[in-house]
C-alpha cells in the first residue's frame, strides 16, 4: 500500500497563497500601542524590511516565492504527505487519515518555512543582523539556520528558563552561528529593568519580545523577526497546504476536514488557508484548529483588540485573546502557550469559515504515543494536538459508520522533547481545568480602541 | 540548481545485494568461543532465527526483501540523495559532492534498515521477544521501533553510563514500547556477577552484549539481535547504496570515490558494497572507510581471528581488530568505538578492494560545523567522519585542479547529540594520540585459532 506521496523539488510552489483577498470583509486596523491610532506601513520600518511590510497588507492573492528562497527550501521541501494506514487500522476506523510532515526540515519543524523568506527579504533590504526571541527554541533554531544561509548575523533572546531547560535547542542555534542570550539580559533597557527589580527572574516570552524589539529598533543595521501570528508569517506557511493539495490530488483524494494545532496560528494557517481558498470557491471542506484546553484562545477567548505582548509594547490587533496578562499553566506544548491568535485566523473563526476546539494535555499524549507506535514518527508535543483532533474525527466516523477523509499537519518531530514523554509515562503530567477565573481577570484588562 | 534526488516509494529496492559471491576468495570460518571449532549454522539457532542464519552464509547474490519489510521502509525510504552545492562552494572545490541521507528514519539513523528485517524474520520464525544491547542508543531505538511494528516484545540492555547520559534515546526506546534495562543489571548471571564485584560499575558494550545473549539463549521465546558487524546486517544495509546508485544515475553521475564512516561496518557496507559489486564488474571506483584515530581498527589493527566481545562469549571471527581488550578513549562518536570490524569489510580491505583512513575528532567536528552551516542538516558525530573524508577528497581535488565526484553516506542526524557540539565549542574536546601502546598490549591477547 502506498504510504507517502513525494513531490520532486521542481514542484516546490512558486507562489504563496495570500488569504487576505478571500477574507470575509475588510481587515481590522492594527493599532499603535503608544498613540492608539492605526499603524501606517512606514511606522514599521524600524522593525521590518519593506517587502515584509508590503506582504503584511498585500491584496494580491498570489505572491511570488523568490528563487533564492526556493533554493534553500530544496533542503527539505516538498515535504512528504503520508497516508496513516497503520493508525487507521489501530483505530478500526473507516476514515482515511493523511498527514503532511514538516519535521523533515533541518530544525525539525515548520518554522523555517517563514524564517528563510524573512532572512532573505531582510538580506535584500540591506539588513545585516536579525534580533528575535524564542521560548522553547523552535523559532530561534529556524531563524538561526535561515540567517546562516543568507549570511546575516543573528541574536536570539531566549527565555532564561528555556535556556536552562532546553539546552539542545540552544546548542542547535549556536551551531548555526547565532548569538543566544538568556532573557532577561543586560543588553537592553527592558532586560536591565527586570534584572534590577528581580535578579533571579526566569524570563517570559513577552519580555524576550520586548528585548528583541528594543535591540532591533536601537540599531540601524538590525531588524526584528517574528515566527507566528503576523499576516506575512501565515502567508509563508501556506506552502504547506499548497503542497498538500497537490499531493492529495495525486492520491486521488480531497479532505472532508483539514486540521492543524493552534498556538499563534502559523502552522494552522499553513495547512488551512489554501483550503479556505477552496471554500471561498464553493468547495465543501471543514478547517479545524485544535488548541490546548489550558490556553483556549480560540474557544474561550473574546474577539477584541488586544496587545500582542504582556509588556504592551507590541501593536494592538483585533484577535481572539485571553487577555495579554493571561499566563497559561506550564504544559509541555510550549509553542501553543500564547494569549492571542493570528488576526487572520481570528477573523475567519469569527465569520464561521473555520472551526476550533480545545483538547486536554493527557489526551494529546495518548494520541502521540499511539501515533509513534503505529506510524513510527515521534511527534512534537505541539503537533500532538492535531493528531488528537484527527483521531477524534476518525473515531466519530467509526461511531457513525461513515467514510471521511482527514488531513492534518504534523508540524514537527519530538526528538528534542523527550522529557515531555518521560513526564507523561511517569504520571507527572496533569490536565488543567479550563482557567476560567484567570481568563476573566485578564480579559478585564483589554485596551480600549475606538 | 537541483539539490536532492528523490525516488518514489515503489523504487524501494526489492532485493538486497549480498557481497559474498563477489568476495576475493572464500570466507574464513567463524569459530565457537567455547570449542574453538568452526560454528555450524545450527549452533546459532538459540541466538538467531533460521532465515537470518541463512542470510549470514548465503551465496546468493540477490536476496529478496519481503513485502512487509518494504511496507515499513515506506515510512522513510527511499531516502534522499543530496548534491552539496553550498558545501562545494564554501570549499571552492571543482569536485562534486553527493550525500545519501539516512537521518530521515524515525530513529534518526540508518540502523532501522537492519532492525526492521531482523524483527520481521524473527516474527515469522515464531520469536515473541527480542533481547539486544545498546551503547549510545541508536541501535536500541531502531530495534524498539522495529519490534513495535511487528508486535514483538523488546528488551534492551543499555550501558548504564549511557542510560544516564543519553536520556533522550532511552525515552525514545520506551515510547516505542521497549523495556530498557541499565546494564549491568540483576536480570542475568553476567550482570549479577559484575554487580557483586563492583556495585557501582557503569557498564560496557561488551558486558551489555553478554547480558543480552544470555537473556536470549535462556528463554525459548527470545532471540538476540545485533546492529552491526555481521554479514546479514551488512546485507540489509546495502539498500542504502542500491538506492544511491539509482539516484546517481538519475543525476547523470557516477562516483570516483564512495565514503562511509566506520565503526562495526554496517553503514559503510551499506553505501559501499553495491559499488564493490561494480568494481568486481570492472568499474573504476574507490570505496573508502573513515574511522576515528582513537579507535583505528582498520588502519592500525591486525587482520586476525579475535573475539567479538570483551567477555569472550561472542564468536571468534577473522577481522581487523585492535584486540578484544582494547578500550578506546571516550570520543563523542560512540557508535565508532568498536575494537573489531565486519569480517566482510575486513576481507575486502585485506584484499585491497577497499581503502581505509583514520581521522581525528577535532577535524571531524570542524567538518560537521561547516556542513551544518552550509547544507543545513546537523550530522551525528559518527557521520562527521564521513564528511571529513569527503571534504578531504574535495580539497585534494582542488589542490590538484581535478574534477572528482564524491559520494558519502550521512548516516544520521545529530539532534540528540548536541552536547557533543557544546563540548566542541567550549573547547572541551581533544584529539587523542594514536593509542599505540594500548593496541600493542591488547593485540597480545588474541586467541589462537588453527
Amino acid at each position: 500500500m502506498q504510504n507517502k506521496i513525494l513531490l520532486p523539488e521542481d514542484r516546490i510552489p512558486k507562489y504563496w497563497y495570500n488569504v487576505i483577498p478571500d477574507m470575509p470583509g475588510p481587515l481590522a486596523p492594527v493599532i499603535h500601542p503608544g498613540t492608539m491610532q492605526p499603524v501606517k506601513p512606514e511606522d514599521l520600518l524600524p522593525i521590518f524590511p519593506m517587502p515584509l511590510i508590503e506582504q503584511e497588507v498585500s491584496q494580491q492573492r498570489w505572491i511570488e516565492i523568490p528563487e533564492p528562497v526556493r533554493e534553500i527550501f530544496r533542503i527539505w521541501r516538498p515535504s512528504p504527505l503520508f497516508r496513516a494506514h497503520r493508525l487507521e487500522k489501530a483505530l478500526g476506523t473507516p476514515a482515511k487519515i493523511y498527514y503532511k510532515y514538516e519535521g523533515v526540515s533541518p530544525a525539525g519543524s515548520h518554522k523555517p518555512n517563514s524564517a528563510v523568506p524573512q532572512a532573505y527579504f531582510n538580506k535584500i533590504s540591506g539588513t545585516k543582523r536579525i534580533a528575535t526571541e524564542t521560548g522553547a527554541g523552535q523559532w530561534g533554531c529556524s531563524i538561526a539556520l535561515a540567517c546562516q544561509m543568507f549570511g546575516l548575523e543573528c541574536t536570539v533572546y531566549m527565555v532564561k528558563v528555556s535556556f536552562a531547560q532546553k539546552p539542545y535547542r540552544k546548542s542547535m542555534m549556536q551551531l548555526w552561528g547565532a548569538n543566544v542570550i538568556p532573557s532577561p539580559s543586560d543588553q537592553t533597557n527592558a532586560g536591565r529593568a527586570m534584572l534590577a527589580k528581580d535578579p533571579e527572574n526566569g524570563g517570559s516570552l513577552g519580555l524576550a519580545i520586548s528585548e528583541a524589539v528594543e535591540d532591533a529598533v536601537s540599531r540601524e543595521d538590525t531588524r526584528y523577526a517574528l515566527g507566528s501570528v503576523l499576516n506575512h508569517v501565515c502567508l509563508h506557511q501556506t506552502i504547506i497546504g499548497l503542497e498538500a493539495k497537490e499531493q492529495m490530488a495525486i492520491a486521488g483524494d480531497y479532505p472532508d476536514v483539514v486540521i492543524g494545532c493552534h498556538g499563534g496560528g502559523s502552522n494552522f494557517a499553513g495547512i488551512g488557508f489554501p483550503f479556505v481558498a477552496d471554500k471561498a470557491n464553493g468547495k465543501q471542506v471543514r478547517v479545524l484548529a485544535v488548541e490546548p484546553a489550558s490556553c483556549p484562545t480560540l474557544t474561550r477567548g473574546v474577539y477584541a483588540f488586544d496587545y500582542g505582548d504582556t509588556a504592551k509594547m507590541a501593536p494592538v490587533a483585533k484577535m481572539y485573546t485571553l487577555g495579554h496578562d493571561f499566563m497559561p499553566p506550564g504544559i509541555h506544548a510550549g509553542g501553543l502557550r500564547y494569549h492571542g491568535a493570528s488576526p487572520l485566523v481570528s477573523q475567519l473563526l469569527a465569520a464561521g469559515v473555520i472551526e476550533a476546539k480545545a483538547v486536554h494535555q493527557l489526551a494529546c499524549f495518548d494520541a502521540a504515543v499511539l501515533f509513534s507506535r503505529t506510524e513510527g514518527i515521534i511527534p512534537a508535543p505541539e503537533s500532538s494536538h492535531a493528531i488528537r483532533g484527527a483521531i477524534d474525527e476518525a473515531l466519530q466516523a467509526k461511531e457513525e459508520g461513515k467514510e471521511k477523509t482527514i488531513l492534518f499537519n504534523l508540524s514537527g518531530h519530538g526528538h528534542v522533547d523527550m522529557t515531555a514523554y518521560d513526564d507523561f509515562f511517569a504520571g507527572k503530567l496533569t490536565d488543567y481545568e479550563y482557567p476560567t477565573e484567570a481568563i476573566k481577570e485578564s480579559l478585564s484588562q483589554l485596551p480600549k480602541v475606538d
Side-chain angles (χ1 to χ4, degrees), chain A residues 346-367:
Chain A
S346 297
Q347 189 178 349
L348 289 167
L349 179 64
V353 177
I354 64 164
E355 305 166 33
K357 71 183 274 190
V359 292
H360 283 284
Q361 176 164 249
L362 295 180
C364 290
F365 275 98
D366 279 337

Side-chain angles (χ1 to χ4, degrees), chain A residues 77-415:
Chain A
R77 303 214 71 85
S79 68
L81 178 85
F82 286 88
R83 170 81 184 272
H85 290 294
R86 284 178 299 273
L87 175 61
E88 292 168 16
K89 197 174 159 196
L91 295 171
T93 179
K96 291 186 274 187
I97 305 176
Y98 293 87
Y99 58 99
K100 180 76 169 162
Y101 182 38
E102 292 293 310
V104 291
S105 83
S109 80
H110 68 291
K111 292 286 187 189
N113 295 334
S114 185
V116 171
Q118 288 193 49
Y120 169 77
F121 287 115
N122 269 286
K123 178 74 178 181
I124 62 166
S125 304
T127 305
K128 303 288 180 217
R129 181 171 167 275
I130 296 272
T132 193
E133 77 288 331
T134 200
Q138 287 280 23
W139 171 248
C141 284
S142 303
I143 195 80
L145 168 70
C147 286
Q148 179 62 236
M149 291 295 147
F150 290 108
L152 293 170
E153 286 180 62
C154 180
T155 290
V156 182
Y157 293 88
M158 185 172 190
V159 177
K160 197 176 274 177
V161 289
S162 299
F163 189 86
Q165 288 171 359
K166 303 265 182 177
Y168 282 25
R169 290 238 167 82
K170 171 196 66 186
S171 308
M172 288 164 73
M173 289 181 241
Q174 289 169 336
L175 175 52
W176 282 316
N179 180 23
V180 188
I181 299 175
S183 167
S185 78
D186 61 3
Q187 308 285 304
T188 65
N189 291 328
R192 283 186 292 267
M194 178 57 82
L195 290 173
K197 208 167 70 178
D198 175 13
E200 302 304 313
N201 187 281
S204 69
L205 198 57
L207 181 58
I209 293 176
S210 304
E211 288 209 89
V213 172
E214 181 185 330
D215 179 318
V217 299
S218 64
R219 286 182 56 165
E220 184 53 44
D221 66 348
T222 302
R223 292 293 178 276
Y224 171 71
L226 189 67
S228 190
V229 178
L230 299 177
N231 300 354
H232 68 269
V233 182
C234 294
L235 171 78
H236 299 156
Q237 294 293 353
T238 60
I239 197 165
I240 301 171
L242 293 169
E243 285 179 6
K245 272 170 73 168
E246 186 169 340
Q247 289 163 311
M248 291 295 290
I250 290 171
D253 237 329
Y254 189 85
D256 297 300
V257 57
V258 177
I259 301 170
C261 65
H262 189 278
S266 81
N267 105 85
F268 169 72
I271 190 83
F273 283 2
F275 292 94
V276 167
D278 286 357
K279 247 183 123 111
N281 290 323
K283 271 260 194 191
Q284 287 286 333
V285 53
R286 293 167 52 218
V287 183
L288 172 64
V290 184
E291 64 182 4
S294 56
C295 189
T297 312
L298 299 177
T299 53
R300 301 278 176 121
V302 297
Y303 185 44
F305 281 95
D306 196 7
Y307 296 99
D309 68 334
T310 316
K312 304 199 263 191
M313 292 179 64
V316 172
K318 192 171 183 190
M319 59 183 178
Y320 277 89
T321 178
L322 296 166
H324 57 273
D325 281 338
F326 178 74
M327 185 61 70
I331 59 164
H332 264 294
L336 305 184
R337 296 174 69 242
Y338 184 62
H339 71 275
S342 147
L344 293 175
V345 170
S346 297
Q347 189 178 349
L348 289 167
L349 179 64
V353 177
I354 64 164
E355 305 166 33
K357 71 183 274 190
V359 292
H360 283 284
Q361 176 164 249
L362 295 180
C364 290
F365 275 98
D366 279 337
V369 171
L370 178 62
F371 187 85
S372 301
R373 291 182 177 178
T374 51
E375 296 300 306
I377 298 169
I378 299 176
E382 289 81 1
S383 315
S384 75
H385 290 69
I387 300 174
R388 182 73 255 169
I391 288 177
D392 288 346
E393 290 285 333
L395 291 176
Q396 195 196 341
K398 180 181 180 181
E399 209 177 285
E400 296 173 356
K402 279 188 189 162
E403 293 192 356
K404 188 190 275 184
T405 301
I406 300 164
L407 167 66
F408 75 89
N409 190 33
L410 187 65
S411 54
H413 72 60
H415 286 184

